[in-house]
Amino acid sequence: MSFNIVVLAKQVIDPEAPSASYRIDGSAGKLEVDSSQKIAPVINGFCENAIEAALQIKEAVGDATVSVISAGSDFVMDVMKKAVSMGSDEMYLLQDEKFSNLNDSSITAKLLATAIQKIGEYDLVLAGMQASDWDQAQVPLGIAEILGVPCVPIARKIEIKDGRAICERATDAGYETVSAPLPSVITVNNEFGQPRYPTLRNIMAAARKTPITWDAAELGLSDDDLSPRIKIVDLFIPEKQSQCEIIEGEDEEEMGRNLALKMREAKLI
Amino acid sequence: MSEILLVGEVNGGNLAEATAELIAHGKPLAESLTSSISVALLDQDSTSAAQEAISQGADKVYNIKDSLLGTYQTDAYLASLAKLIQEINPIAVLISKTEIGADIGARLAFRVDTGIVQDCIEVSVNSDNKIQANRPVFGGNCMATVVCESTPMMALIRPKTKEALEADTSRSGDVVDYNADLDESVIKNQVVERVEEVQEGIRLEDAARIVGGGRGMNGPEPFDNELKDLADTMGAAIGASRAAVDIGWVPYSYQIGLTGKKVAPDLYLLVGISGASQHMAGCSGSKNLVAINKDPDANIFRDARFGVVGDWEKVLPALTQQLKELM
């Protein structure tokens, strides 16, 4: 029987976009990039790590299906297609006006969990450890709770063996090896190696694939299901004043020596 | 009187510093909400820690006991805390974003069917008597003010964002034993082994001085040579930016930043790190930043107190040599 992997992938504002390009609606809790800047969104970095991890697991177990799933209102297909052209088999897009600006993880987790159940059989749900926009690191953990399955956050290595996922997860001191029964939800960090580049063959295959899209009604979600538990009431860019003293010198060696003297003078060492 | 429940931690028999800070965050909220501060401790043997929590400002301590507790295990911790919360029905739950707090915070919120504000650096009570928090978003480029709209109101608070209160050993409070009475079936994951990847020298989180390397190091070698020489001379720990970890030069345990370790040393010397907000989010509590970078426009020069615009390959050996003579 095929091994089913669901990977969560999120379209985010390019984290390299300068804050000067932000257009902020504070009371609506909404942040966009000024469209005149022509800065395309990207797939969240850790989500690409999760897709890479899924493809590595697929190669290891042989017969596996990798389904990518994402929720939002405004997908840029050129960006999202990368998830498929990296080598995934299916793509599900949960798309609805009601899913715009998903900054309350309890709603995001609920709709993704509902979709995972609708897809049906799954052995493994993979996700990035954190998204670079709202930085909450909790949607996958919430999904595990809603589905009532085990969860292993921040894995750096995953092996599937005898119906369990044997994970090495990063800890402050090093790592721990955790064995979780399947199905389970696992989030990954950036130690799975560089996410692979789409091959020409996969790009062509992806172009022929049409994502399956579901809206709130098709997921059976009522407005009540989508009521917020936390609410952003303001968004702002903190002010910063620079007061850096640049250390001078004849050459870089002297700058180095002068820096040492300056740090001593300021009692930093 | 309603309670604000704080999830406490014990380190080597003593109350963790992060928990003392969490009490300091909780105190003003308790005042505004006319609530008391309760701390849950899950160490099997934490009598002195309970007294310490009270000295730090707690009114009550729940010593959660169960044979499945002891060494940290997520499932057991989650199950017992969820049980306690459902039983005492606190108005709010505060957790430090330590390694354990980050692991349980979100899941605990979902399990008790409420929302949680992640990674707060400031918490207060608004005019509707709701807890609101400021938290960095978009890699620290932006700050969001977030209000808890469901109960219990929950917040995960970043450590080192508030100083602990002065301990007052004359304070008294209740210490209550709470038997979690867990069923073994709550344990889903098995921890097979825990491995400490000993970074030579000082732990990053505890270090008073840190030397960090980024993409500008151009390879893994300097982490074992020039950076290490400098760190050894200064008595500093070595850290890295996410870029250096992504490329594979050093393991994740070196990573400082939003998605790595949060550090707050007296001195952080950054070499070849541009100062992207994702990195700065992990070291914003540092008292003094010193930067060496060959790009004069690097963001890091906006945050640093002292800067050298130059090539580290030339600057570092001279800096290290001069420091050796001074120290």
Side-chain angles (χ1 to χ4, degrees):
Chain A
M1 219 182 80
S2 178
F3 189 81
N4 291 309
I5 307 171
V6 176
V7 191
L8 311 180
K10 184 178 192 183
Q11 175 184 308
V12 294
I13 286 173
D14 187 340
E16 303 290 330
S19 54
S21 68
Y22 291 173
R23 257 191 19 213
I24 294 174
D25 181 350
S27 56
K30 201 164 184 169
L31 191 156
E32 291 169 338
V33 168
D34 193 329
S35 53
S36 69
Q37 299 280 325
K38 306 243 181 293
I39 302 173
V42 296
I43 294 178
N44 177 47
F46 287 118
C47 298
E48 287 196 358
N49 295 130
I51 297 168
E52 174 61 34
L55 297 171
Q56 287 177 16
I57 292 169
K58 176 174 170 151
E59 285 157 5
V61 302
D63 184 17
T65 306
V66 176
S67 305
V68 175
I69 178 169
S70 189
S73 61
D74 204 8
F75 291 109
V76 176
M77 280 319 293
D78 282 349
V79 172
M80 294 309 291
K81 274 272 174 175
K82 186 181 177 192
V84 184
S85 55
M86 281 175 72
S88 308
D89 301 293
E90 302 289 344
M91 175 174 258
Y92 295 84
L93 296 178
L94 317 182
Q95 193 166 13
D96 198 307
E97 269 311 304
K98 291 173 183 165
F99 305 162
S100 74
N101 199 28
L102 287 169
N103 57 33
D104 180 348
S105 307
S106 55
I107 295 173
T108 319
K110 191 176 291 176
L111 58 100
L112 287 167
T114 306
I116 291 168
Q117 283 163 320
K118 192 174 161 82
I119 292 173
E121 295 279 312
Y122 63 93
D123 299 286
L124 188 60
V125 177
L126 285 177
M129 62 178 275
Q130 191 163 347
S132 60
D133 48 6
W134 298 107
D135 293 323
Q136 299 186 93
Q138 63 177 347
V139 165
L141 283 61
I143 291 173
E145 285 297 317
I146 294 170
L147 297 175
V149 300
C151 181
V152 183
I154 323 183
R156 62 176 203 183
K157 204 169 167 185
I158 303 167
E159 192 194 347
I160 303 299
K161 207 173 162 187
D162 304 327
R164 299 184 79 94
I166 320 295
C167 309
E168 264 182 35
R169 61 180 299 262
T171 61
D172 284 350
Y175 70 92
E176 62 184 23
T177 309
V178 176
S179 161
L182 298 174
S184 54
V185 176
I186 300 174
T187 78
V188 306
N189 73 4
N190 46 344
E191 291 182 280
F192 279 84
Q194 198 71 32
R196 63 193 66 190
Y197 290 104
T199 61
L200 190 58
R201 213 185 86 175
N202 282 338
I203 290 173
M204 285 163 64
R208 284 193 300 271
K209 265 177 210 157
T210 316
I212 298 158
T213 55
W214 288 331
D215 62 15
E218 284 166 308
L219 288 167
L221 293 167
S222 65
D223 285 352
D224 211 33
D225 288 323
L226 302 174
S227 67
R229 288 173 167 176
I230 59 166
K231 198 171 166 196
I232 297 180
V233 294
D234 197 11
L235 265 179
F236 54 95
I237 294 178
E239 282 178 34
K240 208 184 273 178
Q241 284 169 324
S242 171
Q243 41 206 345
C244 183
E245 182 181 336
I246 298 293
I247 307 296
E248 307 288 345
E250 282 288 313
D251 52 25
E252 285 156 307
E253 283 82 4
E254 190 182 305
M255 291 177 196
R257 287 191 293 276
N258 286 344
L259 176 61
L261 297 169
K262 184 59 94 173
M263 292 199 304
R264 167 50 63 92
E265 189 189 308
K267 297 197 169 64
L268 300 187
I269 49 157
Chain B
M1 199 199 264
S2 63
E3 286 173 77
I4 297 180
L5 183 69
L6 278 50
V7 176
E9 288 178 45
V10 180
N11 264 344
N14 293 316
L15 191 74
E17 183 60 25
T19 304
E21 295 164 8
L22 190 64
I23 296 172
H25 273 291
K27 271 298 205 190
L29 305 186
E31 216 157 282
S32 305
L33 296 167
T34 42
S35 308
S36 59
I37 296 278
S38 302
V39 174
L41 295 177
L42 294 97
D43 196 270
Q44 292 291 7
D45 184 29
S46 47
T47 35
S48 65
Q51 189 48 55
E52 283 174 63
I54 290 165
S55 304
Q56 288 295 333
D59 303 298
K60 191 174 186 177
V61 173
Y62 293 98
N63 262 327
I64 304 184
K65 299 199 178 281
D66 194 280
S67 58
L68 296 177
L69 295 169
T71 318
Y72 175 69
Q73 205 283 346
T74 317
D75 296 323
Y77 268 53
L78 267 178
S80 35
L81 285 166
K83 219 165 178 175
L84 178 66
I85 290 170
Q86 273 147 358
E87 201 162 310
I88 67 173
N89 197 17
I91 184 167
V93 179
L94 307 181
I95 305 174
S96 297
K97 199 189 172 196
T98 56
E99 186 167 34
I100 290 178
D103 195 37
I104 59 173
R107 281 185 272 179
L108 190 56
F110 276 90
R111 200 166 289 192
V112 302
D113 204 17
T114 191
I116 182 169
V117 186
Q118 290 279 336
D119 199 16
C120 311
I121 59 170
E122 225 175 344
V123 284
S124 60
V125 173
N126 72 9
S127 52
D128 296 327
N129 276 336
K130 285 176 179 166
I131 290 180
Q132 77 172 29
N134 280 343
R135 58 176 304 258
V137 293
F138 288 82
N141 275 330
C142 201
M143 192 74 78
T145 307
V146 190
V147 175
C148 298
E149 293 286 351
S150 58
T151 52
M153 300 183 278
M154 283 183 72
L156 193 68
I157 300 175
R158 191 185 284 191
K160 301 188 175 121
T161 46
K162 194 161 196 174
E163 301 229 348
L165 304 169
E166 191 85 30
D168 174 2
T169 48
S170 68
R171 285 191 89 247
S172 61
D174 294 336
V175 180
V176 184
D177 280 347
Y178 179 80
N179 282 311
D181 206 11
L182 296 179
D183 189 280
E184 258 178 64
S185 65
V186 301
I187 310 281
K188 291 170 176 165
N189 293 352
Q190 284 168 356
V191 178
V192 181
E193 65 170 337
R194 284 198 166 92
V195 180
E196 284 192 29
E197 285 178 328
V198 196
Q199 257 189 48
E200 268 181 58
I202 313 147
R203 249 168 57 98
L204 261 182
E205 302 89 317
D206 302 335
R209 292 173 189 160
I210 295 175
V211 172
R215 198 196 298 271
M217 301 317 291
N218 298 326
E221 298 83 11
F223 285 89
D224 290 326
N225 298 302
E226 291 91 340
L227 268 189
K228 188 172 181 307
D229 285 347
L230 175 60
D232 288 348
T233 306
M234 287 170 52
I238 298 183
S241 71
R242 178 171 166 188
V245 176
D246 275 352
I247 309 168
W249 294 341
V250 286
Y252 178 69
S253 55
Y254 281 65
Q255 186 171 321
I256 293 171
L258 185 69
T259 49
K261 290 184 174 152
K262 307 291 187 296
V263 298
D266 294 331
L267 171 61
Y268 181 21
L269 203 157
L270 304 91
V271 187
I273 294 179
S274 67
S277 50
Q278 131 81 250
H279 186 75
M280 304 318 292
C283 61
S284 55
S286 307
K287 292 205 178 68
N288 295 283
L289 300 177
V290 175
I292 299 171
N293 203 298
K294 64 179 179 199
D295 174 9
D297 297 323
N299 276 334
I300 189 60
F301 292 120
R302 290 189 311 189
D303 295 290
R305 178 169 171 196
F306 300 121
V308 171
V309 179
D311 188 347
W312 64 262
E313 288 184 59
K314 296 193 179 114
V315 179
L316 281 198
L319 167 65
T320 307
Q321 186 53 42
Q322 184 71 58
L323 285 172
K324 277 184 181 150
E325 287 166 26
L326 287 172
M327 298 182 83

